[in-house]
Amino acid sequence: MGSPFRMSRSIYFYLALLPHQFPSHNLVIIFFACVGLSMADTPANCLYEDIRGTWKLHETERNGNHSISCDELGEIVHENTFTLEFPDVVKDELGNQGTWTMIYNQGFEVNINQRSYFAFSYYEGDWGSSTSYCNRTFNGWSRDVTIRNWSCFKAEKLAQVPPTFTERPVLTNGGQMYKNDENLIKKINIAQTSWTAKAYPEHENYTVEEMYLRTGGLASVMTKLLSAAPVSPELQATVASLPDSFDWRNINGVNYISPVGDQASCGSCYAFASVANLEAKLRIASKNQRQDIFSTQDMVSCTYLDQGCSGGFDYLVAGRYAMEQGVVSESENRYLGRDAPCTTSQAATRTYVKDYRHVGGYYGACNEAAMIEAIVNRGPVSVSFQVYSDFPSYSDGIYHHTGFVNEFNPFEETNHVVLVVGYGVEESTGEKYWIVKNSWGDWWGEKGYFRIRRGTDECAIESMAVEIDIIP
């Protein structure tokens, strides 16, 4: 599918993580994606207040299908005015009401009048320096709730938003081979007893740049980390009745989680987390009668909604893509660990999502309690969190960031998408934790999993999560 968004695979990408404070109460707005260091497509940086307000949409005839190209907009047939209100309410000029959500700092999605609209925010420039024009969008895509009657649109905000210029660091030593930092590992293990670090010889098969891709990409600019969203009394009461521990790998002796994958040196954690989410939900919905393994390469290569090995968004891939296009078996498009043309057959059997959403209802509404309620009642959720330089050496235990940095080639704070399959409490210490499926192979961590502190928004892991409803 053509797109003005897929402009150049040579553009360096930088995803800014900036906290945003809502006017009514503190909600974290942190922008996540498993972005890679090299070759991504959108350095736009548009925050919540840049997007909230009244927009004019210019839309083409609604007679297309999912193969529609929006490279060129074409004749404008429909014009609407949408007002995006706090926290997630949208209204049109006739008073009809729907919902909206930001997609990190990259764009926004609107659902109203039985139609869904999505567009990326407009920018000019490249990874090294760019200017974001947050009062306009690139050409976007619209379709109705039956996934028919597609059209293209663009939008501009009626209020002025000053352009934002951003300069970003570049990696000068990406071609060097990565080295385990033995001094860092010693510091970690001496400083605390909650978790253990070790050197992985497998990591030294990657260059520094490839490890950036594997762990998420260059750090974004972040002034400070706010807390997750507040918990309502109603939600707190609901969660109080749920188990103290829960694990979808062992529900009365039954495992509903697919095997751990390995993304290798491709920045495709968003695809692996999305696939893991879909596979788990399908096993739960079918009572393990269907144990499909879905294609991550299809997600990397076959949609305008992500940036291939340079990153993407689980909300768009596990959600919007799986609803609009469906996902296919691994055998239809086997994982290559690199960017490649789409080879998935149009005749391939597909599995679809019927609904997707941010846990809590919209981007910025997530917290520990909302995640527990979603996991117990509906299944695992994909999450994004900050990867610091001590995390790749995790071996076992309950991870928390130690504050130490890698002395060889310091990793900046990066972003990684994973799947939370359960939670628990360490009996000996009372420390609460999440159980998380990673995408670095089953040789890493606790057989491919890690545990991380729960209830403290450790590394922003409780600041956003995505859940989907699959059609079995």
Side-chain angles (χ1 to χ4, degrees), residues 9-81:
R9 284 292 179 188
S10 64
I11 295 176
Y12 282 107
F13 183 53
Y14 177 86
L15 186 61
L17 281 87
L18 295 174
H20 172 80
Q21 187 168 351
F22 276 121
S24 297
H25 50 73
N26 277 345
L27 293 177
V28 67
I29 294 294
I30 295 180
F31 305 103
F32 292 105
C34 182
V35 296
L37 171 66
S38 63
M39 299 186 298
D41 292 344
T42 170
N45 177 29
C46 297
L47 306 185
Y48 183 87
E49 288 301 330
D50 297 331
I51 302 301
R52 187 170 71 138
T54 300
W55 291 76
K56 187 76 171 182
L57 270 72
H58 310 275
E59 188 179 354
T60 63
E61 186 67 65
R62 298 168 176 172
N63 58 1
N65 59 31
H66 65 80
S67 65
I68 191 172
S69 171
C70 292
D71 288 353
E72 301 293 335
L73 195 58
E75 181 182 0
I76 300 300
V77 176
H78 306 278
E79 291 194 334
N80 296 96
T81 301

Side-chain angles (χ1 to χ4, degrees), residues 322-376:
M323 174 181 280
E324 293 177 346
Q325 307 291 327
V327 293
V328 301
S329 169
E330 167 71 8
S331 62
E332 294 286 350
N333 195 343
R334 296 193 180 279
Y335 188 62
L336 301 173
R338 58 180 171 81
D339 287 314
C342 179
T343 60
T344 304
S345 170
Q346 291 297 310
T349 300
R350 296 178 181 268
T351 299
Y352 295 87
V353 158
K354 65 179 179 181
D355 193 18
Y356 59 97
R357 57 200 167 274
H358 288 110
V359 172
Y362 55 90
Y363 184 52
C366 187
N367 53 46
E368 176 197 10
M371 288 172 61
I372 288 175
E373 187 278 330
I375 290 167
V376 173

Side-chain angles (χ1 to χ4, degrees), residues 285-434:
S286 69
K287 300 188 185 301
N288 260 342
Q289 295 304 301
R290 286 189 61 180
Q291 298 190 14
D292 300 44
I293 301 297
F294 293 122
S295 170
T296 48
Q297 191 66 44
D298 178 77
M299 293 180 174
V300 168
S301 298
C302 300
T303 175
Y304 61 86
L305 291 170
D306 65 56
Q307 296 83 58
C309 278
S310 298
F313 310 93
D314 52 328
Y315 181 86
L316 293 177
V317 177
R320 196 173 184 94
Y321 179 62
M323 174 181 280
E324 293 177 346
Q325 307 291 327
V327 293
V328 301
S329 169
E330 167 71 8
S331 62
E332 294 286 350
N333 195 343
R334 296 193 180 279
Y335 188 62
L336 301 173
R338 58 180 171 81
D339 287 314
C342 179
T343 60
T344 304
S345 170
Q346 291 297 310
T349 300
R350 296 178 181 268
T351 299
Y352 295 87
V353 158
K354 65 179 179 181
D355 193 18
Y356 59 97
R357 57 200 167 274
H358 288 110
V359 172
Y362 55 90
Y363 184 52
C366 187
N367 53 46
E368 176 197 10
M371 288 172 61
I372 288 175
E373 187 278 330
I375 290 167
V376 173
N377 291 328
R378 292 178 294 281
V381 298
S382 54
V383 299
S384 301
F385 75 107
Q386 285 293 99
V387 171
Y388 294 98
S389 59
D390 57 359
F391 181 74
S393 60
Y394 170 89
S395 174
D396 58 76
I398 301 173
Y399 173 81
H400 64 273
H401 176 44
T402 61
F404 298 125
V405 297
N406 187 302
E407 295 178 359
F408 170 68
N409 258 314
F411 281 103
E412 303 289 346
E413 297 144 356
T414 56
N415 315 293
H416 192 47
V417 190
V418 289
L419 187 76
V420 178
V421 304
Y423 59 90
V425 181
E426 181 65 36
E427 291 185 6
S428 60
T429 63
E431 189 172 21
K432 300 191 301 180
Y433 58 83
W434 298 110

